[in-house]
Amino acid sequence: FSHNNVQFHYVERPIVTHVAPSWGYDVGGTSISVVGRNFVDSRNLRCRFERINGTTTATAGGTISGTTSGITSDSRDHEQYYVPALYRSQSLVECQSPTSSLGPVLLEITTNGVDFTNDQMIYEYVNAPTILRIHPSSGPSRGGTMVTIEGTNFRPRHGSH
């Protein structure tokens, strides 16, 4: 009870069950769907990407056992990156991955800016592809030319790696 009408709202703890895709490029900017339940629309809705240090056994898109370019509102604090999340429904929020070094990170969300989920979802940063050569370098405007692209770090956009 408050004399000045300050209110506190109790909400169910959000739970993250899946992230897709489970990996993205180290240059950031990957749109990530965070799936779960009990999500609420809030001005404090954020995704946290937390570097995993020490020895770990990780499965991309799953949980952990063992011990962005273009995103201007990111902040970095001791191997943690925070980015705004977009509320889609009680079971879906979206966020963009920030730039990061290679390897797995824990991806968690907060609806109040203080309490984060603790579901240990793994998102893995991988090398961005590099194009070394395109052959041929031109073709007719009507299309139909078979083009070969040579480079490194090509991966399927979604799915296992």
Side-chain angles (χ1 to χ4, degrees):
F1 180 74
S2 172
H3 293 290
N4 59 2
N5 293 325
V6 174
Q7 296 181 355
F8 183 87
H9 296 277
Y10 290 95
V11 295
E12 289 191 56
R13 182 179 74 84
I15 297 172
V16 176
T17 58
H18 183 72
V19 297
S22 60
W23 61 270
Y25 301 124
D26 57 341
V27 295
T30 301
S31 181
I32 302 168
S33 295
V34 181
V35 180
R37 60 183 182 272
N38 305 328
F39 299 158
V40 295
D41 195 4
S42 162
R43 64 185 172 100
N44 295 312
L45 188 61
R46 302 271 184 276
C47 289
R48 178 179 69 192
F49 295 78
E50 184 174 6
R51 177 63 48 202
I52 300 169
N53 294 317
T55 59
T56 60
T57 304
T59 303
T63 60
I64 184 169
S65 61
T67 62
T68 284
S69 63
I71 302 173
T72 57
S73 58
D74 292 359
S75 64
R76 182 170 184 211
D77 180 31
H78 303 291
E79 305 274 4
Q80 295 178 353
Y81 299 84
Y82 302 87
V83 296
L86 179 62
Y87 177 84
R88 294 292 189 187
S89 71
Q90 290 182 343
S91 61
L92 176 65
V93 298
E94 294 177 353
C95 56
Q96 278 197 326
S97 64
T99 301
S100 182
S101 56
L102 301 177
V105 295
L106 292 174
L107 196 162
E108 304 291 354
I109 68 161
T110 182
T111 58
N112 65 6
V114 176
D115 302 306
F116 284 84
T117 56
N118 190 25
D119 300 306
Q120 299 185 330
M121 289 292 113
I122 300 297
Y123 179 80
E124 186 164 3
Y125 282 95
V126 299
N127 283 317
T130 301
I131 296 175
L132 302 174
R133 182 175 175 234
I134 299 176
H135 182 75
S137 59
S138 64
S141 61
R142 72 181 184 287
T145 302
M146 181 65 75
V147 177
T148 301
I149 301 172
E150 297 176 16
T152 60
N153 303 318
F154 292 130
R155 295 174 177 257
R157 182 63 186 105
H158 295 284
S160 301
H161 60 272

